[in-house]
Amino acid sequence: MEVNIHQAKTHLSRLLQRVAAGEEVTIARAGVPVARLVAVEQKSKTRPLGMDRGRIWIADDFDAPLPDDLLKEFYGGELPPLEPTKRSRKRR
């Protein structure tokens, strides 16, 4: 379908509906095509599982406690006193 610029401005919503339905619209100025309206291809919303398999490695001890000397650096030279966790507190 070919329309002139005035028709395109006047009926843009209708033209976009037609484009979404799969039609291609050419916009012309004085009968010379200057633009083409086409539908945008939708990207896939799901990523394939396992696409990075073998690229990522996590050490077995990644969640191990840090050494005391490194912890001291985080706390400015001294380790804070250990607070009892909820599980280690005694119930009264």
Side-chain angles (χ1 to χ4, degrees):
M1 159 182 228
E2 184 171 307
V3 297
N4 64 36
I5 293 175
H6 176 72
Q7 289 172 323
K9 290 192 312 185
T10 304
H11 303 289
L12 182 62
S13 294
R14 291 181 193 160
L15 293 174
L16 291 176
Q17 287 176 345
R18 293 177 80 156
V19 167
E23 192 172 339
E24 187 175 294
V25 176
T26 302
I27 301 172
R29 177 184 293 133
V32 178
V34 293
R36 188 171 61 220
L37 289 176
V38 294
V40 176
E41 293 181 26
Q42 297 296 324
K43 293 183 179 179
S44 172
K45 293 184 180 182
T46 59
R47 295 185 295 175
L49 294 176
M51 65 186 221
D52 287 333
R53 183 173 286 136
R55 293 184 180 186
I56 299 172
W57 173 80
I58 299 174
D60 292 333
D61 63 346
F62 80 97
D63 59 348
L66 294 173
D68 285 344
D69 58 333
L70 186 56
L71 282 174
K72 286 179 186 178
E73 294 292 327
F74 281 104
Y75 291 104
E78 292 185 27
L79 290 177
L82 293 176
E83 295 180 18
T85 63
K86 290 181 180 178
R87 289 184 179 178
S88 65
R89 290 183 190 160
K90 293 182 180 178
R91 291 187 179 178
R92 295 180 184 185

